[in-house]
Amino acid sequence: MKKIAVSCGILIILSCQQNTREVTQQKKEEPAQVTASKTAVTDDFGKQVKGHYSEEDDSWISEDPFYESANFGGSDYASIYRLTDNEDEPHLGLVDKKGRIAVSTKYSGLSIGFNDGLCEVTLEKKGMVNDKGQEILPPVYDWIDLAKDNLLIINKDGKSGFADRTGKVLIQPKYQGASYAGDGLFFYMKEPQRWGLRNLKDEIIVEPEFTSTSAFINGKTVLQKDGGDEYIIYSSGKVVKK
């Protein structure tokens, strides 16, 4: 009788385990619940990762089942990985030394820390996130560079334009070459390698006749035309031969 009772107990336990596995699989297969779960995890800006900071290792030692530990290497921020069953799912973000998520863990690459409050992120293409966790530029650009006067140079499909630090696109990426000159003006290139000057309303200030660019110093710069003659270019649009 004891043997029969033990056997029945084992059968009951195995039956419960089988039912549990089936419920878990059904939940995974239900699209609405999977989507909700991913949203809750990847939009994790500001989340506190369980654990503690080790000054000796300069690391956040994670005690959180959803995050790996992170090493700062002398920086104020470190890259941190969110643990996921799907390794192909982007799961990289930033954490500070208090264990707070500073950039959501939904990217495949990023810069370590913030430059003037901005962090470049990668999700196949480049984008920008600010220190408030907002994605001000979506990851659709080939590259993004910081410029003076709170501007960003954006490049998409080999063409350049400009955006401000809020993510507002001021000049669509449509120029073969573009560089910020200062005083609210930028040099744009017209083939074959001739540079002119425009303002941020995209109005022509100086026709594209010059072979190079140079930023304004005290409202002026010196450029050359084909043949080597030098000209003083003023930010007012005035051009004077030297």
Side-chain angles (χ1 to χ4, degrees):
M1 291 294 292
K2 288 183 179 180
K3 289 184 178 179
I4 293 174
V6 170
S7 299
C8 290
I10 292 172
L11 286 173
I12 291 170
I13 292 169
L14 289 173
S15 176
C16 291
Q17 288 177 340
Q18 180 63 29
N19 289 338
T20 302
R21 282 198 294 268
E22 287 174 355
V23 169
T24 303
Q25 288 169 356
Q26 287 172 3
K27 286 183 178 180
K28 286 184 178 179
E29 289 168 2
E30 189 173 338
Q33 292 187 7
V34 171
T35 302
S37 176
K38 281 187 178 181
T39 300
V41 172
T42 56
D43 293 342
D44 56 357
F45 169 77
K47 180 178 178 180
Q48 180 63 47
V49 178
K50 296 177 184 178
H52 66 278
Y53 173 70
S54 168
E55 187 173 353
E56 181 181 357
D57 298 327
D58 194 20
S59 298
W60 182 261
I61 308 302
S62 177
E63 298 165 8
D64 195 308
F66 297 105
Y67 299 89
E68 290 186 351
S69 296
N71 184 273
F72 293 92
S75 175
D76 293 330
Y77 296 90
S79 59
I80 187 167
Y81 285 94
R82 172 173 47 84
L83 297 173
T84 173
D85 291 334
N86 180 11
E87 288 300 319
D88 293 329
E89 175 189 333
H91 53 282
L92 179 65
L94 277 189
V95 66
D96 65 19
K97 292 188 175 181
K98 294 181 179 180
R100 175 180 169 273
I101 299 294
V103 171
S104 294
T105 56
K106 59 181 181 181
Y107 299 101
S108 56
L110 43 68
S111 56
I112 305 300
F114 294 88
N115 192 334
D116 290 336
L118 297 178
C119 174
E120 184 181 278
V121 295
T122 302
L123 197 59
E124 293 187 5
K125 298 283 188 176
K126 305 292 185 181
M128 278 286 183
V129 173
N130 65 20
D131 53 11
K132 296 178 177 62
Q134 300 166 327
E135 191 177 86
I136 64 163
L137 286 175
V140 298
Y141 298 98
D142 296 331
W143 52 263
I144 303 171
D145 273 349
L146 303 178
K148 293 181 179 179
D149 299 342
N150 293 319
L151 294 177
L152 302 168
I153 304 176
I154 53 178
N155 186 280
K156 185 178 182 181
D157 299 327
K159 302 292 180 67
S160 295
F162 292 87
D164 65 19
R165 298 300 180 95
T166 70
K168 180 181 179 181
V169 176
L170 305 175
I171 302 294
Q172 291 293 333
K174 60 182 180 180
Y175 292 106
Q176 193 67 33
S179 65
Y180 188 61
D183 298 340
L185 303 171
F186 69 94
F187 286 104
Y188 70 101
M189 190 182 79
K190 184 177 180 181
E191 297 290 355
Q193 190 97 12
R194 295 294 179 268
W195 295 88
L197 201 61
R198 288 178 177 262
N199 60 24
L200 293 175
K201 295 180 180 179
D202 212 9
E203 300 168 331
I204 294 178
I205 304 301
V206 175
E207 293 290 341
E209 302 177 315
F210 301 92
T211 58
S212 62
T213 67
S214 181
F216 287 118
I217 299 176
N218 297 324
K220 63 182 180 180
T221 188
V222 177
L223 300 179
Q224 288 185 346
K225 287 187 179 181
D226 192 23
D229 291 337
E230 292 187 333
Y231 293 80
I232 302 173
I233 314 297
Y234 293 87
S235 58
S236 63
K238 182 180 178 181
V239 178
V240 178
K241 186 175 182 180
K242 284 187 72 175

